[in-house]
Amino acid sequence: KNEVEQSPQNLTAQEGEFITINCSYSVGISALHWLQQHPGGGIVSLFMLSSGKKKHGRLIATINIQEKHSSLHITASHPRDSAVYICAVRTSGSRLTFGEGTQLTVNP
Amino acid sequence: NAGVTQTPKFQVLKTGQSMTLQCAQDMNHEYMSWYRQDPGMGLRLIHYSVGAGITDQGEVPNGYNVSRSTTEDFPLRLLSAAPSQTSVYFCASSSRGGGATEAFFGQGTRLTVV
């Protein structure tokens, strides 16, 4: 079993829908990252969380340390949100362990 | 401020050839790492470094060498390329230690070994 599990693996939505991507992990962590990867592009950091909730524009990330679970929400989704969203946890020192990613497609 | 600069963006190698993927960061980060990304799998750690002169193996180090002679640069060397090394490679950096350290990634190198 992977230390970081994401669901769903693939998600298709219509423009304007509310989207949730989930991440569960099985190890002790010091922080959790949500990353975004566009087709053919690099990886950018969206959020880094160690507790609670963060919001940036239409994106919201939450984490429940006791339940070892995090969610990434996108409100009023748009086709430009189409990308792979990756959850990564920071374990010992500065090492990151990654989930497999969630491929999101938002149709107009 | 360029962040993490990774070159080349694309490369095709023949089996047995060698090459070096370059990675440089201008944020004075202590921690640098190389990952490979394969379909259906999360990014996997190849090698990492916690500072100049210090490197260590990650999850999938075989077939790759690294060195860290300066804080800024962390090149990844393929000594004798194999088709199994066809992948997308990412370099990343962060300041060392603790949880509150954001990770920065290069643009990736798409490597094909034929």
Side-chain angles (χ1 to χ4, degrees), chain B residues 5 34 54 57 59 62 88 99:
Chain B
T5 303
W34 278 102
I54 307 168
Q57 296 182 348
E59 215 181 320
N62 293 340
V88 181

Side-chain angles (χ1 to χ4, degrees), chain A residues 9 30-33 35 37 40-46 48-50 84 86 90 92-101, chain B residues 9 31 35 37 40-43 45 48 57-59 90 94-103 105-108 110:
Chain A
Q9 285 188 317
S30 55
L32 182 142
H33 298 253
L35 310 167
Q37 183 178 24
I43 297 171
V44 296
S45 178
L46 297 175
M48 181 178 61
L49 294 161
S50 53
V84 175
I86 302 169
R90 190 176 293 278
S92 59
S94 299
R95 292 181 67 157
L96 290 172
T97 302
F98 296 81
E100 292 182 20
Chain B
K9 193 155 185 181
Y31 189 85
Y35 300 91
Q37 184 180 39
M41 307 181 82
L43 279 81
L45 181 64
Y48 66 98
Q57 296 182 348
E59 215 181 320
F90 287 95
S94 63
S95 54
R96 185 179 174 182
T101 50
E102 188 170 351
F105 291 83
Q107 284 296 300
R110 186 172 294 274

Side-chain angles (χ1 to χ4, degrees), chain B residues 12-32:
Chain B
V12 179
L13 288 179
K14 293 183 179 177
T15 297
Q17 284 185 317
S18 62
M19 79 159 295
T20 299
L21 279 64
Q22 302 291 345
C23 178
Q25 52 90 11
D26 60 0
M27 297 170 282
N28 203 32
H29 284 165
E30 300 93 337
Y31 189 85
M32 296 185 75

Side-chain angles (χ1 to χ4, degrees), chain A residues 24-88:
Chain A
S24 297
Y25 54 92
S26 58
V27 293
I29 70 169
S30 55
L32 182 142
H33 298 253
W34 281 103
L35 310 167
Q36 182 191 56
Q37 183 178 24
H38 280 282
I43 297 171
V44 296
S45 178
L46 297 175
F47 294 104
M48 181 178 61
L49 294 161
S50 53
S51 65
K53 175 179 172 178
K54 286 190 176 180
K55 183 175 190 290
H56 185 215
R58 295 180 294 106
L59 301 177
I60 302 166
T62 64
I63 188 168
N64 185 317
I65 296 293
Q66 287 73 29
E67 295 187 3
K68 295 188 174 177
H69 181 268
S70 175
S71 293
L72 176 68
H73 305 286
I74 305 175
T75 62
S77 59
H78 190 277
R80 65 174 173 267
D81 296 326
S82 298
V84 175
Y85 292 84
I86 302 169
C87 171

